[in-house]
Amino acid sequence: MGWGNIYKRRMKVFTLTFLIYVDYKALQQREKLTRRSKRDGLWEKAHERNAKRVLKLIVELEGLWVKLGQYLSTRADVLPEAYIRLLRQLQDSLPPRDLEEVCSTIEKQLGKSMNDLFSNFVSVPLATASIAQVHRATLHDGQEVVVKVQHEGIKTIILEDLKNAKSIVDWIAWAEPQYDFNPMIDEWIREAPKELDFNHEAENTRKVSRNLGCKSEGHDKKPDHVDVLIPKVIQSTEKVLILEYMDGVRLNDSRALEELGVDKQKLVEEITRAYAHQIYVDGFFNGDPHPGNFLVSREPPHRPVLLDFGLTKLLSSSVKHALAKMFLAAAEGDHVALLSAFAEMGLKLRLDMPEQAMEITNVFFRATTPATEALETVKNLSEQREKNMKIIQEKMKLNKKEVKRFNPIDAFPGDIVIFSRVLNLLRGLSSSMNVRISYLNIMRPFAESVLKSDMNHGPSSNPKWVYDGPVHSDVEAKLRQFLVDLGNADRILGIQVCAYKDGKVIIDTAAGVLGKYDPRPVQPDSLFPVFSVSKGVTAGMVHWLVDKGKLKLDENVANVWPEFGTNGKDQIKVNHILNHTAGLHNALANISEEDPMLFCDWDECLKRIAMVAPETEPGREQLYHYLSYGWLCGGIIEHASGKKFQDVLEEAFVRPLNIEGELYIGIPPGVESRLATLTIDMNDLTRSAPKFDATRSSAISNALPSSFTFESVSSVIPLSNMLNVRRAILPAANGHFSARALARYYAALVDGGVVPPRHSSSSLPPLGSHPHRPMFPSKKTSINQKDRRKKDSSGSTSPDSDVYIRIPNTEDTSDEVDTKIFTNTKTKLHDAFMGSGDFEDLIFPGGRFGLGFRRVRTADGSVIGFGHSGLGGSTAYCDIHNRFAITVTLNKLSFGALTGEIIRFVCSELDLPVPEEYAGSRFAETPVIN
C-alpha cells in the first residue's frame, strides 16, 4: 500500500468520524426545538443514515474497521437497532477476494500446487471476514477440511488502521473526556497484530481445546466440563490454516436454528460457561466471541462450535484471581473485596467511591436483556451514569464543565480490556438472540473454583507459605517451623507474629493467606482486624493525654465532656472508664437490634453514650465494657485534646513510632488491598460454645456484662468484614494493625515510652513506608516523614542475658534520635497502666483490669505486665520484668486455642513465664474472650 493510499484511507476515516460527531451534536440542539412526539423519529433517522455511512466505509476499507463493525453489531443491548441490523452483515458476508489471489497464497505458503494439496477445493468461500476468507476442501485421504487464507497485504492495512483508530480515540477523549477509550485501543494495538500469524492461532486453538477437554467424537464428564466443540488443527503456516470441517449452522441464522429445534437459551448458556471456564479456570481465553465465530452442530444435541482463536488473552495467576475476586465481590456486595480486587489488577480510581464502584461493577456483570429492551437498557444506564456523575461533582466540588471532563479512572489495566470486550460481546450475543443470561449464576461456580483451588495451598504444597523475611533469631527459625506444622494441620489461615526482647526485634514472621477466598500471601504490612486488642491502644491514648497534662485519671469525665454529666453520670471519673467500673457495661448494646450500621456513626454514638444512665454506682463493680468502652474513651480523648480521635492517634503513636500505614482504628480509603479477611474456625467455635456458656456463669468471668453472649459475639464477625464497618471509628473493637506495628507500640511501653531502634529495613516492605492516609491522584499529596529516632543507649543488654542466638544486624542506626512518647518515668507509667503502686486506689480490688489494660498474671497470681487480647485470638501484651513484648494477629478466628500454643512455644524457648490465660490446663478449660 503506497503512501498516497494510506493518506486517502486516513482522511476518509477522520472525515466520517467528524461528520457523524457533528450530526449528532447538531441533533442534540435541534431536539430542544422539536415537539416531544417527533423526537424519537429524528433520532431513528439519524441512526439510520449514520449506520449506512459507517457500513459503506467499512466495506470499502475492510481491514481493522471490519472488526470494529463486527463488535458493534453484537451490542444489541446498547446500540440502536439500525446499527445492529446493518452492521450484522459484516459478521461473515464481506465481498470475497479473487480466487487466483487465494490459490497463490496457499501454494506459496504450503510449497505445493493446489492439485497436490487437495482432491477438491470449493471456489466459493464459506465466509469472508476482515483478515481472511474460508473455503471448504477435501484432502487426498478423503478428510473434509476448511482452509483459512489470509488476505494479501492485510498486515500493512491493519497496522495503519490501528494508528488511525488511536488518533480517533485521542480526539474523542479530548472532545468528550468522559469517553476515554485509550486503555482499550492501547490493548488492541498490542494484541491485534498477533491475529496475523496463523501459526499462533493454530497453537491457541489446540490449547483452548485441551483446556476445555474438547473432542469432536466425545468428551469427558467432569464437574466443570463444558459441552462445546472445537475443530482439530490439521496444518498451519503464517498465512494459511487448515482445520477439520464441522457441519453446522451460523449462530445468526435464526431460521436454520428454528428448523433444527435448537434451544437458544441452553445454547447461549453453554457458550457463556465455556468462556467462564476459559477466563477463570484456564486464564487463557478467546477474545473475539462475535456471532460469526460460532457454529451450531447440526447433529443433536446441537452443541456450540467455537471458531477463530487468533485474538486470545493469557492472564497471569494474580490477575485471574483478581478477576474472580471482583466477580464474587459484586455477587456478594463486598466493597472491601471489590476495592482490593481493583488494586490487585491495577485498576486505580481518582477518588474514593466504593458505592459507585460497586454499582458500576454490578452493571458490568448484570444479566443480559433481549434486543427488544435495548432502548430501555440504554436509558437506565444513562440515568445511572448521570446520577454517579452528580455524586462525583459534589464530592470533588466540580462545576458542570469540569465534571464533564473528569474521568474517575486513573489507570485501567490492559489485561481487563479484552476481558471487558468478551463480556460485552457475550452480552450482545445473548441480546441479539433474545435470551436472558444471568452471569452471576452461570459464572459463579467457575470464579469460586479458581479461588477455592488455592485454599489448599498450605505449607506442604506451598514453599512460600511463610513470608520470605529475615530471620532475627534462632527462636524465630524454630517458630516458623512450628507454624508450618500448625498450617499443615489446617489450624492456620493467615497469621503474623512479632516479638521484641530487650528493645530489639527477635521475631517478625508472616505466614498463610489473607482470606478464605483471597490466596495472596500474608505480608509483614498486612492489616488484621484485632477486635478488643484495640482497647490497649485506645487506653494508651488516654494515658498519653494524662502525660501531656490535658487530663487527670481521677478527674470527673464531665469536667472535660460536659454533655456526659447527665442522667446520674456526673460522678463517673476517667479511672472508672478505664477500669470498666463506670456502670455503663451494657450501654448501646441494643443498638444492633435497632440498626447495626449505627455503630458506624461516630458522632451519633458519642451523642447517645452521653445520654445513657449507669446501671451500677461508679467503682462498685467491675463489668467488662466490651463495646461502650470505645465511645467512652473516644469522647474523653476528643474533648480533652480538642482534636479528632484519629488525629490524636497519629500524633501520639503513629508518627513517633514510625508505624505509618500499619496501625489504624478505622481504616482510611486506599488500604483495602492489604486487609486480611476474617473467617471462623468452626471446629474451635463448636468446641468453645459450651465452654463460653460455662465461663459466663463462673467466677472467672463475673466481669462479663449480661449483653455479652455467645450469639452476640459470633454475630459480630460477618459485620467486621464490611467496608463501612472497617472504616468506622470503633476504639473498643475496630483496630486494623500489623503485628509488627503493634509489637513496636508495646515494646515502647515496656521501656517506659522509649521508642525502640528502627525496625529492620530488610523486612520488606519497610515498616513506616506506607502513607498513613493514602491520597487519590486527583488530590494533592504532601507526605513528609521525618526521621526522629535514635538508638536508645539505655536499652542495650549484655550478650550473657540473651537465652537465644541473635542473628547479627549490620544496619547502621547511628542517625537515630532519642524519642519518648511519654515523659513520666517507666515505673510510674507501668503502675498507671496496671493500676498498681500510687494508682492502686483507682482500680477495683482484685479485678482483671488495670487502667485500660488487662493485667497479665502468671499461674501463681503474680502480675508481670499488661496488654489486651481480642475476640478470635489476636493478642498483644508485654512482660515488664523481662523487657518482652509480643503480638499475634490471626484471620481464622478461634477462642484462643491457637494463640495459646504460640505464646507457650515462644515463652518456653525464651524461658519466660506464660500468662495465666494461656497456661496449661486452665487455658484448655476457659476460652479467651478478651
Side-chain angles (χ1 to χ4, degrees):
M1 178 183 287
W3 282 109
N5 289 332
I6 289 176
Y7 178 76
K8 290 178 182 177
R9 189 179 182 88
R10 186 175 299 174
M11 288 306 299
K12 287 178 180 179
V13 171
F14 291 163
T15 300
L16 181 62
T17 303
F18 183 72
L19 177 62
I20 293 175
Y21 176 77
V22 171
D23 191 358
Y24 280 122
K25 279 294 183 181
L27 184 57
Q28 287 176 346
Q29 299 303 316
R30 185 180 174 189
E31 183 184 33
K32 298 175 183 178
L33 306 175
T34 305
R35 283 185 296 178
R36 188 178 298 274
S37 61
K38 294 186 177 182
R39 290 177 182 176
D40 288 345
L42 284 177
W43 282 100
E44 288 175 7
K45 290 179 180 177
H47 294 325
E48 184 76 22
R49 65 175 172 266
N50 286 319
K52 287 179 178 178
R53 288 167 174 166
V54 171
L55 177 62
K56 181 181 178 182
L57 186 63
I58 287 176
V59 171
E60 178 185 345
L61 298 182
E62 296 186 354
L64 184 76
W65 304 110
V66 175
K67 282 208 161 291
L68 177 61
Q70 289 172 340
Y71 173 69
L72 294 176
S73 73
T74 67
R75 299 309 311 277
D77 55 325
V78 294
L79 279 181
E81 189 274 337
Y83 283 91
I84 305 303
R85 173 170 42 82
L86 292 168
L87 297 181
R88 190 175 290 160
Q89 302 172 40
L90 299 170
Q91 288 174 7
D92 57 11
S93 303
L94 288 176
R97 290 296 178 101
D98 185 73
L99 182 62
E100 185 178 341
E101 174 191 316
V102 172
C103 293
S104 174
T105 300
I106 293 173
E107 291 177 341
K108 286 178 182 178
Q109 289 286 303
L110 298 178
K112 293 182 180 180
S113 69
M114 295 294 289
N115 290 333
D116 289 338
L117 290 168
F118 310 105
S119 63
N120 182 47
F121 188 87
V122 180
S123 59
V124 178
L126 291 172
T128 302
S130 56
I131 292 177
Q133 69 185 38
V134 179
H135 290 259
R136 187 173 177 179
T138 307
L139 300 179
H140 286 291
D141 63 3
Q143 182 175 7
E144 296 288 322
V145 297
V146 292
V147 185
K148 183 176 180 178
V149 185
Q150 191 173 120
H151 299 322
E152 190 69 32
I154 194 65
K155 184 173 184 178
T156 303
I157 293 173
I158 290 288
L159 296 178
E160 176 60 25
D161 288 346
L162 285 170
K163 294 178 184 177
N164 294 340
K166 173 66 173 171
S167 299
I168 291 172
V169 166
D170 286 340
W171 178 74
I172 292 174
W174 172 81
E176 304 286 340
Q178 67 272 37
Y179 298 111
D180 185 359
F181 301 111
N182 268 295
M184 301 177 191
I185 192 63
D186 290 343
E187 180 69 8
W188 209 354
I189 288 171
R190 281 192 294 270
E191 297 294 333
K194 296 177 184 178
E195 289 192 79
L196 300 172
D197 185 350
F198 288 175
N199 285 318
H200 179 76
E201 180 177 344
E203 183 52 39
N204 293 341
T205 304
R206 295 187 186 100
K207 185 172 182 178
V208 175
S209 183
R210 286 194 304 269
N211 289 343
L212 297 182
C214 294
K215 298 177 183 177
S216 59
E217 66 278 1
H219 54 269
D220 299 326
K221 290 291 185 180
K222 296 180 180 178
D224 62 351
H225 174 77
V226 289
D227 201 7
V228 298
L229 300 173
I230 295 176
K232 180 182 177 182
V233 176
I234 307 299
Q235 188 177 0
S236 69
T237 68
E238 183 183 359
K239 296 182 179 180
V240 175
L241 177 62
I242 303 177
L243 303 165
E244 69 170 312
Y245 172 76
M246 286 190 165
D247 189 20
V249 298
R250 289 289 179 184
L251 204 60
N252 52 10
D253 190 344
S254 299
R255 179 177 296 178
L257 293 178
E258 289 176 10
E259 290 175 356
L260 289 173
V262 174
D263 184 337
K264 292 183 181 180
Q265 179 73 30
K266 182 179 178 181
L267 182 72
V268 179
E269 284 182 0
E270 202 60 31
I271 290 173
T272 305
R273 291 183 74 249
Y275 273 85
H277 193 294
Q278 291 176 64
I279 293 166
Y280 294 119
V281 178
D282 308 324
F284 183 77
F285 60 94
N286 180 0
D288 199 19
H290 67 78
N293 284 341
F294 296 98
L295 294 175
V296 181
S297 62
R298 291 184 183 274
E299 295 296 324
H302 305 302
R303 285 180 265 166
V305 181
L306 278 54
L307 306 173
D308 193 347
F309 294 87
L311 178 60
T312 54
K313 185 66 182 177
L314 176 64
L315 301 175
S316 67
S317 177
S318 59
V319 170
K320 184 174 70 170
H321 291 146
L323 287 175
K325 188 173 178 180
M326 178 178 72
F327 179 90
L328 293 173
E332 298 289 342
D334 187 341
H335 295 77
V336 174
L338 181 68
L339 296 182
S340 175
F342 284 175
E344 290 166 43
M345 66 179 67
L347 195 158
K348 299 178 182 178
L349 304 177
R350 293 184 184 274
L351 72 166
D352 179 40
M353 42 183 277
E355 296 295 337
Q356 286 66 48
M358 180 62 74
E359 278 188 25
I360 293 168
T361 308
N362 280 323
V363 167
F364 195 57
F365 292 117
R366 72 189 185 279
T368 64
T369 54
T372 52
E373 300 176 16
L375 288 177
E376 186 65 25
T377 301
V378 172
K379 181 181 178 182
N380 292 338
L381 292 177
S382 178
E383 289 175 354
Q384 187 169 352
R385 185 181 185 282
E386 187 176 339
K387 181 183 75 172
N388 287 334
M389 292 309 291
K390 284 183 179 179
I391 293 173
I392 291 173
Q393 183 176 1
E394 294 172 2
K395 198 177 188 83
M396 300 294 294
K397 295 180 173 58
L398 304 173
N399 59 39
K400 289 184 178 180
K401 185 176 181 180
E402 289 172 331
V403 76
K404 181 181 177 183
R405 303 190 70 83
F406 180 78
N407 187 342
I409 298 177
D410 182 55
F412 196 90
D415 285 330
I416 313 306
V417 172
I418 305 296
F419 171 75
S420 306
R421 182 175 187 268
V422 165
L423 279 191
N424 286 330
L425 282 168
L426 291 174
R427 189 184 310 285
L429 176 69
S430 59
S431 294
S432 64
M433 297 189 72
N434 282 314
V435 297
R436 295 180 185 273
I437 297 296
S438 173
Y439 284 135
L440 293 182
N441 291 335
I442 294 176
M443 290 185 156
R444 181 167 188 151
F446 297 95
E448 286 180 338
S449 70
V450 68
L451 295 179
K452 285 181 178 178
S453 66
D454 276 0
M455 290 306 100
N456 297 322
H457 288 188
S460 60
S461 58
N462 181 6
K464 295 184 179 180
W465 186 81
V466 174
Y467 185 77
D468 187 19
V471 179
H472 298 81
S473 66
D474 67 326
V475 177
E476 182 167 27
K478 294 176 183 178
L479 174 66
R480 290 186 179 184
Q481 183 55 53
F482 183 58
L483 295 180
V484 166
D485 294 339
L486 292 170
N488 284 328
D490 197 29
R491 299 284 305 284
I492 295 174
L493 182 62
I495 191 169
Q496 295 169 324
V497 183
C498 187
Y500 280 72
K501 182 72 171 71
D502 302 324
K504 296 179 181 179
V505 179
I506 60 167
I507 298 172
D508 185 12
T509 289
V513 295
L514 285 175
K516 184 178 180 182
Y517 295 116
D518 190 344
R520 291 176 300 141
V522 173
Q523 298 189 161
D525 63 337
S526 298
L527 299 172
F528 281 70
V530 295
F531 293 103
S532 286
V533 177
S534 315
K535 291 183 174 72
V537 175
T538 301
M541 295 168 67
V542 175
H543 284 283
W544 184 78
L545 289 171
V546 172
D547 189 71
K548 297 295 181 187
K550 302 284 186 180
L551 190 65
K552 295 180 180 178
L553 290 171
D554 58 356
E555 184 174 8
N556 287 342
V557 175
N559 287 355
V560 295
W561 185 2
E563 298 87 347
F564 184 80
T566 60
N567 293 326
K569 299 194 299 301
D570 54 306
Q571 296 304 308
I572 295 178
K573 302 181 184 296
V574 174
N575 64 286
H576 294 141
I577 302 293
L578 292 174
N579 192 231
H580 299 271
T581 56
L584 298 170
H585 38 280
N586 288 318
L588 301 195
N590 62 350
I591 199 172
S592 60
E593 299 174 8
E594 178 183 347
D595 179 5
M597 289 303 100
L598 277 176
F599 284 134
C600 304
D601 190 334
W602 173 247
D603 292 330
E604 178 64 19
C605 288
L606 287 184
K607 180 180 176 182
R608 291 193 181 200
I609 204 78
M611 300 304 294
V612 298
E615 295 181 43
T616 60
E617 181 182 339
R620 183 177 179 180
E621 189 175 8
Q622 189 176 76
L623 289 167
Y624 184 44
H625 290 42
Y626 66 101
L627 199 57
S628 57
Y629 179 93
W631 295 304
L632 293 169
C633 287
I636 292 170
I637 290 167
E638 289 201 343
H639 284 84
S641 66
K643 299 177 182 179
K644 293 294 184 182
F645 179 89
Q646 290 170 321
D647 292 337
V648 177
L649 174 60
E650 193 171 346
E651 180 184 353
F653 302 139
V654 173
R655 288 200 300 269
L657 291 171
N658 192 33
I659 52 177
E660 289 90 340
E662 296 190 31
L663 191 136
Y664 295 106
I665 295 179
I667 63 166
V671 303
E672 292 83 7
S673 64
R674 292 192 285 124
L675 294 179
T677 303
L678 302 176
T679 189
I680 301 174
D681 185 336
M682 294 306 299
N683 292 329
D684 188 65
L685 188 71
T686 303
R687 289 192 303 268
S688 299
K691 295 178 184 177
F692 185 100
D693 294 333
T695 297
R696 281 211 38 79
S697 60
S698 70
I700 296 172
S701 286
N702 281 341
L704 296 178
S706 59
S707 60
F708 193 82
T709 64
F710 183 82
E711 290 74 18
S712 66
V713 169
S714 57
S715 66
V716 167
I717 294 170
L719 290 174
S720 302
N721 284 326
M722 297 176 63
L723 181 63
N724 49 358
V725 173
R726 289 181 183 253
R727 288 185 174 182
I729 305 173
L730 294 168
N734 200 33
H736 285 73
F737 308 148
S738 69
R740 64 181 184 177
L742 189 58
R744 187 169 175 80
Y745 166 72
Y746 274 96
L749 298 188
V750 81
D751 279 345
V754 175
V755 176
R758 185 189 295 273
H759 200 87
S760 172
S761 61
S762 58
S763 179
L764 299 176
L767 179 60
S769 61
H770 292 287
H772 193 64
R773 302 182 186 183
M775 303 296 284
F776 288 86
S778 57
K779 301 176 182 179
K780 293 181 180 179
T781 304
S782 178
I783 301 169
N784 182 22
Q785 297 175 351
K786 294 184 179 180
D787 179 17
R788 298 172 182 169
R789 278 141 290 115
K790 183 165 126 183
K791 185 176 180 181
D792 173 25
S793 58
S794 65
S796 61
T797 58
S798 66
D800 294 336
S801 67
D802 289 352
V803 293
Y804 50 87
I805 303 170
R806 187 178 303 282
I807 294 176
N809 183 358
T810 58
E811 293 180 346
D812 180 12
T813 57
S814 60
D815 62 334
E816 294 182 353
V817 181
D818 278 330
T819 303
K820 280 195 71 177
I821 54 178
F822 290 95
T823 58
N824 273 315
T825 64
K826 180 194 300 187
T827 300
K828 189 170 183 179
L829 281 174
H830 289 172
D831 285 346
F833 297 156
M834 296 185 294
S836 57
D838 294 341
F839 302 89
E840 192 169 357
D841 292 339
L842 298 182
I843 69 167
F844 185 79
R848 298 164 62 204
F849 295 98
L851 292 174
F853 296 88
R854 182 169 178 172
R855 298 197 286 183
V856 177
R857 288 187 171 95
T858 59
D860 64 5
S862 303
V863 178
I864 60 170
F866 52 89
H868 222 295
S869 54
L871 174 68
S874 292
T875 194
Y877 78 89
C878 59
D879 178 340
I880 62 174
H881 301 305
N882 292 287
R883 291 188 68 206
F884 173 68
I886 187 170
T887 60
V888 179
T889 57
L890 303 163
N891 61 352
K892 187 175 185 178
L893 305 184
S894 66
F895 281 110
L898 175 67
T899 310
E901 292 181 51
I902 293 168
I903 296 294
R904 291 198 300 274
F905 179 90
V906 173
C907 289
S908 174
E909 290 292 327
L910 296 173
D911 196 22
L912 297 175
V914 179
E916 178 188 32
E917 62 185 295
Y918 296 121
S921 60
R922 177 175 176 77
F923 166 79
E925 294 169 1
T926 308
V928 177
I929 308 300
N930 279 285

